[in-house]
Amino acid sequence: MTFTLSDTTYGTDSADAKNAMYNDLRPQLQGLLHGETDLIANTANFSALVFNSMPGLNWAGFYFLKGDELVLGPFQGKPACIRIKKGRGVCGTTVVEGKSIVVPDVHAFPGHIACDVNSRSELVVPVRGPDGAIAGVFDLDSPLPNRFDQTDADGIESLVTLLEATLA
Ligand code: SME
C-alpha cells in the first residue's frame, strides 16, 4: 500500500479552492482505503486524512448508530461526547433528516451539543451501510464561524461515498 498525507496548504476562500482540495483528497483517500474493508481502520485513516489536510478544523470523526444512539468512533481532536441520542444535537438530527447539515453558527442551532467549547461551526454528513440505511455520521467542527458551506458538504459526501464502497 502506498499513500501520502497531504502537506499542501489549502485555501478556503472560494468554491474553486475548496473543490481543488477535495479533488486532491479523493485519490489520497482511495489510496488509504484500497484493498481494505476493516471499518475501524478505514474510518480512522479517513479522519486522520481529513483532519490533517483541511484547514480550520478542531475535530473530525465518526459516530456509529447503535440502536437509537450514536456512539463515538474513530476521530481526531479533543476527547468528545460518547453517546448522542438519535434526534439530538446536529449529529442526531442528521440521522433523522437523512441528509448533510451545515451549521454556520453552532450557537444558533437549537440543541447543539458542545463537545469542545471552541467549536463555532459544524458540518455533519450521514454515512450509509450496504443496505442504504444510515449507519452513522461523519462530523467536522471548526473554531471559525461559517467555516463550511454546500461545497464542503458536497466534497465530504464524495469522500464518504468512497468509504461506503468499502463497507459493502
Ligand atoms: N456538536 C455535535 C456533537 C459532537 S461533537 O461536536 C464532536 C452535535 O451537536 O451533535
Side-chain angles (χ1 to χ4, degrees), residues 59 63 80 84 88-91 112-113 115 122 139 141:
W59 202 88
Y63 282 89
I84 298 172
R88 301 291 302 276
V90 187
C91 292
H112 169 259
I113 299 164
C115 292
E122 184 159 357
D139 179 14
D141 285 14

Short mmCIF file of all heavy atoms in Angstrom, two decimals, residues 59 63 80 84 88-91 112-113 115 122 139 141, ligand 1:
data_model
loop_
_atom_site.label_atom_id
_atom_site.label_comp_id
_atom_site.label_asym_id
_atom_site.label_seq_id
_atom_site.Cartn_x
_atom_site.Cartn_y
_atom_site.Cartn_z
N TRP A 59 -11.95 19.36 15.09
CA TRP A 59 -12.41 17.99 15.37
C TRP A 59 -12.93 17.39 14.06
O TRP A 59 -13.57 18.10 13.27
CB TRP A 59 -13.54 18.00 16.40
CG TRP A 59 -13.73 16.71 17.13
CD1 TRP A 59 -13.10 16.32 18.27
CD2 TRP A 59 -14.61 15.62 16.78
NE1 TRP A 59 -13.53 15.07 18.65
CE2 TRP A 59 -14.45 14.62 17.76
CE3 TRP A 59 -15.51 15.40 15.73
CZ2 TRP A 59 -15.14 13.41 17.73
CZ3 TRP A 59 -16.21 14.21 15.69
CH2 TRP A 59 -16.02 13.22 16.68
N TYR A 63 -19.40 8.97 14.30
CA TYR A 63 -20.30 8.35 15.29
C TYR A 63 -21.05 7.25 14.55
O TYR A 63 -21.49 7.44 13.41
CB TYR A 63 -21.31 9.37 15.83
CG TYR A 63 -20.73 10.30 16.87
CD1 TYR A 63 -20.13 11.49 16.51
CD2 TYR A 63 -20.80 9.98 18.22
CE1 TYR A 63 -19.60 12.35 17.47
CE2 TYR A 63 -20.27 10.84 19.19
CZ TYR A 63 -19.66 12.02 18.80
OH TYR A 63 -19.15 12.86 19.76
N ALA A 80 -14.34 13.53 23.03
CA ALA A 80 -15.68 14.05 22.70
C ALA A 80 -16.77 13.27 23.43
O ALA A 80 -16.51 12.20 24.01
CB ALA A 80 -15.89 13.97 21.20
N ILE A 84 -24.82 9.98 21.71
CA ILE A 84 -25.76 11.04 21.32
C ILE A 84 -27.04 10.35 20.86
O ILE A 84 -27.01 9.51 19.94
CB ILE A 84 -25.18 11.89 20.16
CG1 ILE A 84 -23.88 12.59 20.60
CG2 ILE A 84 -26.20 12.91 19.68
CD1 ILE A 84 -23.14 13.31 19.47
N ARG A 88 -30.98 14.11 18.63
CA ARG A 88 -30.36 15.13 19.48
C ARG A 88 -29.13 15.72 18.80
O ARG A 88 -28.39 15.01 18.11
CB ARG A 88 -29.94 14.53 20.83
CG ARG A 88 -31.07 13.92 21.62
CD ARG A 88 -32.04 14.96 22.13
NE ARG A 88 -31.38 15.95 22.98
CZ ARG A 88 -31.16 15.78 24.28
NH1 ARG A 88 -31.51 14.66 24.88
NH2 ARG A 88 -30.57 16.73 24.99
N GLY A 89 -28.89 17.02 19.05
CA GLY A 89 -27.70 17.66 18.51
C GLY A 89 -27.70 17.68 16.99
O GLY A 89 -28.68 17.28 16.34
N VAL A 90 -26.62 18.17 16.43
CA VAL A 90 -26.51 18.22 14.97
C VAL A 90 -26.36 16.79 14.42
O VAL A 90 -26.96 16.44 13.40
CB VAL A 90 -25.30 19.08 14.53
CG1 VAL A 90 -25.30 19.26 13.02
CG2 VAL A 90 -25.32 20.44 15.22
N CYS A 91 -25.59 15.96 15.13
CA CYS A 91 -25.36 14.59 14.66
C CYS A 91 -26.65 13.78 14.65
O CYS A 91 -26.97 13.12 13.64
CB CYS A 91 -24.31 13.91 15.54
SG CYS A 91 -22.65 14.62 15.36
N HIS A 112 -27.73 22.11 19.89
CA HIS A 112 -26.33 21.78 19.56
C HIS A 112 -25.62 21.25 20.80
O HIS A 112 -25.77 21.79 21.90
CB HIS A 112 -25.59 23.02 19.04
CG HIS A 112 -24.12 22.84 18.94
ND1 HIS A 112 -23.23 23.32 19.89
CD2 HIS A 112 -23.36 22.19 18.03
CE1 HIS A 112 -22.00 22.99 19.55
NE2 HIS A 112 -22.05 22.30 18.43
N ILE A 113 -24.84 20.16 20.63
CA ILE A 113 -24.11 19.58 21.76
C ILE A 113 -22.66 20.05 21.67
O ILE A 113 -21.97 19.76 20.68
CB ILE A 113 -24.18 18.04 21.72
CG1 ILE A 113 -25.64 17.59 21.81
CG2 ILE A 113 -23.35 17.43 22.83
CD1 ILE A 113 -25.87 16.16 21.41
N CYS A 115 -19.17 19.67 22.45
CA CYS A 115 -18.13 18.79 22.99
C CYS A 115 -16.87 19.59 23.25
O CYS A 115 -16.13 19.31 24.16
CB CYS A 115 -17.82 17.67 21.99
SG CYS A 115 -19.17 16.52 21.79
N GLU A 122 -20.08 23.85 12.13
CA GLU A 122 -20.06 22.39 12.08
C GLU A 122 -20.66 21.90 10.77
O GLU A 122 -21.53 22.56 10.19
CB GLU A 122 -20.89 21.87 13.27
CG GLU A 122 -20.92 20.38 13.44
CD GLU A 122 -21.31 19.97 14.87
OE1 GLU A 122 -21.49 20.87 15.73
OE2 GLU A 122 -21.43 18.78 15.11
N ASP A 139 -18.57 13.86 11.34
CA ASP A 139 -18.77 15.19 11.92
C ASP A 139 -17.49 15.99 11.84
O ASP A 139 -16.42 15.50 12.21
CB ASP A 139 -19.19 14.98 13.39
CG ASP A 139 -19.42 16.29 14.13
OD1 ASP A 139 -19.52 17.35 13.50
OD2 ASP A 139 -19.51 16.23 15.38
N ASP A 141 -15.89 19.80 12.99
CA ASP A 141 -16.07 21.02 13.78
C ASP A 141 -14.97 22.00 13.44
O ASP A 141 -13.82 21.61 13.16
CB ASP A 141 -15.96 20.71 15.28
CG ASP A 141 -17.19 20.03 15.82
OD1 ASP A 141 -18.00 19.54 15.01
OD2 ASP A 141 -17.32 19.96 17.05
N1 SME B 1 -21.69 19.02 18.12
C1 SME B 1 -22.20 17.68 17.90
C2 SME B 1 -21.70 16.72 18.95
C3 SME B 1 -20.45 16.01 18.58
S1 SME B 1 -19.06 16.92 18.80
O1 SME B 1 -19.14 18.16 18.03
C4 SME B 1 -17.70 16.07 18.42
C5 SME B 1 -23.71 17.69 17.89
O2 SME B 1 -24.33 18.71 18.20
O3 SME B 1 -24.30 16.66 17.56
#
